[in-house]
Amino acid sequence: MQKWAMVVFFGIACVLAAGLMLFNMPKPPVEEAAPEGVQVVKMIASNDFTFDQAEYKVKAGEPVLLKLENKSGVHGAEIKELNINLTNEHKEQQITFDKPGEYVIFCSIMCGTGHDTMKSVLVVE
């Protein structure tokens, strides 16, 4: 009789656990919608001292929302010529580029031994 009760108890516990897993799962993150007519450029920085793309492309004369996401570690994204410096406290900035060109994006927060080589390029077409 005790084995039967243990099997039933274990079965009920499994059903409850499965129900909790299915109905209490956290919702996946929702990507914020950009304002209409604004291009979003998300720069993802990681602890292997890289940005997710070697270059980011935008069009001159169109509004762009630059966003920094730190996948791992603490990083920044700075474009000195345009006075842009994204950090954990200031993760996004909207800008309209006046003229075409290439701008180097540097990590602006000392993040380790590969900090000096952590670069990408913003190409304004």
Side-chain angles (χ1 to χ4, degrees), residues 49-111:
F49 309 110
T50 60
F51 290 101
D52 65 320
Q53 296 180 32
E55 69 178 27
Y56 302 91
K57 292 185 178 186
V58 298
K59 294 188 187 275
E62 295 182 6
V64 176
L65 180 63
L66 298 174
K67 288 183 146 193
L68 173 66
E69 180 180 322
N70 283 319
K71 188 174 182 179
S72 55
V74 178
H75 306 279
E78 182 175 14
I79 305 172
K80 291 181 182 182
E81 300 91 342
L82 302 173
N83 199 26
I84 294 171
N85 190 11
L86 303 179
T87 63
N88 274 345
E89 292 79 33
H90 179 71
K91 291 187 177 192
E92 59 185 56
Q93 181 174 341
Q94 187 168 329
I95 187 169
T96 300
F97 299 98
D98 297 333
K99 57 184 176 181
E102 290 189 6
Y103 304 94
V104 178
I105 303 168
F106 296 93
C107 179
S108 61
I109 298 174
M110 182 55 164
C111 54

